[in-house]
Amino acid sequence: MREAFLQQAAALLGPKGLTDDADAMAPWLTDWRGRFTGRALAMASPASTAELSALVKLCASHGVPIVPQGGNSGMSGGATPDESGVALIVSLRRMAAIRQIDPAARTATCEAGVILQVLHEAAEAQGLRFPLSLGGKGSATVGGLISTNAGGTQVLRHGSMRALVLGLEAVLADGAVFDALVPLKKDNRGFDLKQLLIGSEGTLGIVTAAALKLEPAIAARAVLWAGLDSLAKARELLLLAQRQAGPALEGFEVMPAHSLAAVIAHLPGARAPLAGEHNWHALIELVADADGGDVLPARAEQLLETAFEQGLIADATIAASEDQAERLWLLRESVAPAERAQGPAVQHDISVPVDRMPAFVDAAVPAIEAAWPGTRAVGFGHLGDGNIHFHVIAPLGADPVAWQAGDGKAISREVHDIVTQWGGSISAEHGIGQLKRDELARLGDPVALSLMRRVKAALDPQGLLNPGKLL
Ligand SMILES: Cc1cc2nc3c(=O)[nH]c(=O)nc-3n(C[C@H](O)[C@H](O)[C@H](O)COP(=O)(O)OP(=O)(O)OC[C@H]3O[C@@H](n4cnc5c(N)ncnc54)[C@H](O)[C@@H]3O)c2cc1C
């Protein structure tokens, strides 16, 4: 059966489209964080929607499970097969054409394998921009971003991926092509099925293409860095920025002193933006759209002046050039890689209502550090969205595998319990994957879980799409 399937798949996809070579597959069998490693029957790389549709039909007839994969930059192990070795990795990376950029309609129609950074550059070349960015932009693909409903650093103003997908094409579990690619401003023909596929982590269908919303390029931006005593003050600064800057406020990120120190140790040539020690740092981006670029610097200075007067910030700087602005953003985007280089940790991508975030962090950090002596808990990220990445770093010298399976697991349960008590979500933007599947089953609303299982059974009755993930 195995050989028959592989022969038919090879005939369908050609030499570039299928491999079971161990070296070729190795980089794609472990997730970005190195938490999960699996085995696969083979890795298929279809070149078109038609090829993928035929491949999925073949998988359905042979009962071969499929693990869809984009850039493999996901944080929840969703793109990593299990250890059975029976699943086929279906990589979308060869389907990487930007089919069209329509400047008048401000849309980009892309195949699933387009890398986010490539999309940014293509939009910029047309005087437009795709307003979603994240640290993994050099490898994350459009299909992966859609399937995880990714967020990033501009959600505050533009929403997460869900808000930016205008049309979608996907191959379903039986190989049928769901074609809702043409964006319609108004369309009330029943359920909005594309929204069901967005954020479904490859469990309901394989995204092959999307029509995405673009925005006009910005005329100018001001990037500010502020040092603060507490997260509560960062929250007040956020409110001030929202009042003063309104829609010009595009990003508001925070990191504690420990995260900045980790980045400086990790990133060659990196320097702290401010002199002196500060418990917390905020990175703020204000933008001017078509015009208003000339008043933007004054606006940024005014914001900092008011913040100083109100005692919210201890020190601050404004990037004097685009190069400096990029460097400030690089500090923020390097927190995850820097922390990964430091050693074992358990990560929690959590959200609570924005106004409760400072109190949540002030309560959760000491609770965790006291219960597991030697650990360090840090929260950083998207304060503007009520979403922080709450990481607990293992004590020095801890054995990575044993710690993660023992204390790490217990810590994650405790963090998720606390988040749930605070009315929050155990997955704000990274999805569930295999990392949080059991926790979702433990803490999720039973009615919502039952609905999700029924949807899954209806769309994928054989359970072949990304088994063992999410549900
Ligand atoms: C340094 C760094 C910073 C990051 N920062 C952020 C951040 O700020 N915000 C954020 O939201 N994420 C962030 N991420 C996580 C990651 O970039 C996103 O989850 C991204 O959406 C994953 O895209 P990918 O193409 O790598 O998907 P993969 O990792 O390959 O897959 C992710 C999931 O989507 C499924 N999938 C992939 N492609 C398809 C497809 N075509 N059809 C159906 N299912 C598919 C997979 O099966 C898997 O379940 C970061 C990652 C890194 C490395």
Side-chain angles (χ1 to χ4, degrees):
M1 280 295 280
R2 179 185 181 276
E3 289 312 314
F5 170 78
L6 287 176
Q7 268 175 21
Q8 288 174 51
L12 190 72
L13 300 170
K16 284 190 188 163
L18 190 77
T19 182
D20 59 357
D21 178 78
D23 290 342
M25 290 201 297
W28 309 104
L29 292 172
T30 297
D31 72 308
W32 187 83
R33 285 200 183 281
R35 290 280 296 270
F36 303 100
T37 296
R39 291 169 56 234
L41 174 63
M43 183 165 75
S45 307
S48 67
T49 303
E51 269 189 20
L52 178 62
S53 164
L55 176 69
V56 172
K57 282 180 189 155
L58 187 66
C59 290
S61 69
H62 284 76
V64 172
I66 291 172
V67 178
Q69 195 180 74
N72 198 24
S73 71
M75 296 285 193
S76 304
T80 310
D82 66 18
E83 287 169 1
S84 67
V86 299
L88 180 73
I89 294 180
V90 173
S91 162
L92 277 295
R93 291 183 290 277
R94 265 179 91 205
M95 292 180 58
I98 296 181
R99 292 185 190 162
Q100 188 195 28
I101 291 197
D102 182 337
R106 291 190 198 141
T107 58
T109 305
C110 309
E111 292 184 349
V114 170
I115 289 174
L116 180 57
Q117 194 159 342
V118 173
L119 173 60
H120 284 165
E121 286 160 12
E124 271 164 33
Q126 304 274 350
L128 297 163
R129 67 185 179 130
F130 180 62
L132 183 143
S133 191
L134 42 80
K137 63 187 172 214
S139 49
T141 62
V142 164
L145 294 160
I146 292 173
S147 303
T148 57
N149 184 28
T153 51
Q154 289 157 299
V155 174
L156 188 57
R157 182 171 179 207
H158 299 283
S160 56
M161 205 62 194
R162 198 177 284 291
L164 300 170
V165 176
L166 303 173
L168 195 75
E169 180 190 90
V171 171
L172 304 179
D174 60 358
V177 177
F178 169 72
D179 182 356
L181 197 52
V182 177
L184 296 174
K185 194 139 186 129
K186 296 178 111 178
D187 181 12
N188 277 352
R189 290 172 292 176
F191 305 153
D192 191 348
L193 295 168
K194 71 175 179 307
Q195 289 296 345
L196 190 59
L197 289 164
I198 298 169
S200 66
E201 302 185 43
T203 62
L204 301 181
I206 306 175
V207 174
T208 49
L212 302 172
K213 186 177 177 186
L214 301 178
E215 294 288 345
I218 52 170
R221 67 171 174 169
V223 176
L224 296 68
W225 189 283
L228 309 102
D229 293 341
S230 67
L231 194 55
K233 288 198 171 170
R235 161 85 178 128
E236 284 182 50
L237 179 61
L238 167 66
L239 291 174
L240 177 70
Q242 283 173 325
R243 278 197 306 275
Q244 281 200 358
L249 177 63
E250 178 127 335
F252 194 106
E253 301 284 309
V254 292
M255 67 172 86
H258 178 270
S259 296
L260 180 61
V263 170
I264 288 167
H266 173 73
L267 199 63
R271 287 190 296 119
L274 304 173
E277 298 289 317
H278 305 284
N279 294 336
W280 285 89
H281 297 263
L283 175 59
I284 306 163
E285 178 159 308
L286 306 182
V287 299
D289 288 323
D291 44 31
D294 45 345
V295 297
L296 194 65
R299 199 173 221 184
E301 275 167 29
Q302 178 66 52
L303 173 61
L304 291 184
E305 250 175 60
T306 316
F308 272 121
E309 278 164 18
Q310 296 185 1
L312 301 182
I313 57 179
D315 195 5
T317 184
I318 302 176
S321 64
E322 191 50 28
D323 180 53
Q324 273 187 19
E326 282 295 316
R327 281 176 205 226
L328 292 181
W329 270 111
L330 187 60
L331 294 176
R332 162 64 189 93
E333 287 169 354
S334 301
V335 174
E339 185 248 282
R340 182 176 72 159
Q342 277 196 329
V346 280
Q347 299 83 16
H348 312 94
D349 158 45
I350 51 122
S351 62
V352 296
V354 187
D355 55 324
R356 296 191 202 165
M357 185 55 85
F360 166 82
V361 172
D362 288 347
V365 167
I368 296 295
E369 290 180 349
W372 284 273
T375 57
R376 182 187 282 273
V378 292
F380 66 90
H382 319 299
L383 181 67
D385 311 323
N387 167 205
I388 57 155
H389 303 309
F390 189 86
H391 293 187
V392 182
I393 299 159
L396 274 178
D399 173 70
V401 177
W403 184 81
Q404 245 145 10
D407 280 1
K409 206 164 180 188
I411 290 169
S412 290
R413 281 175 74 93
E414 181 66 17
V415 171
H416 292 152
D417 283 345
I418 302 174
V419 168
T420 307
Q421 283 153 21
W422 282 68
S425 164
I426 65 166
S427 177
E429 61 174 6
H430 290 164
I432 298 294
Q434 51 184 308
L435 180 69
K436 296 183 184 170
R437 190 186 68 148
D438 295 347
E439 287 294 80
L440 180 67
R442 185 172 73 87
L443 295 168
D445 170 40
V447 176
L449 283 169
S450 158
L451 274 176
M452 284 197 261
R453 288 189 188 113
R454 279 146 67 191
V455 170
K456 169 73 176 169
L459 268 68
D460 180 18
Q462 285 182 271
L464 293 180
L465 289 180
N466 222 359
K469 315 292 166 51
L470 210 171
L471 288 170

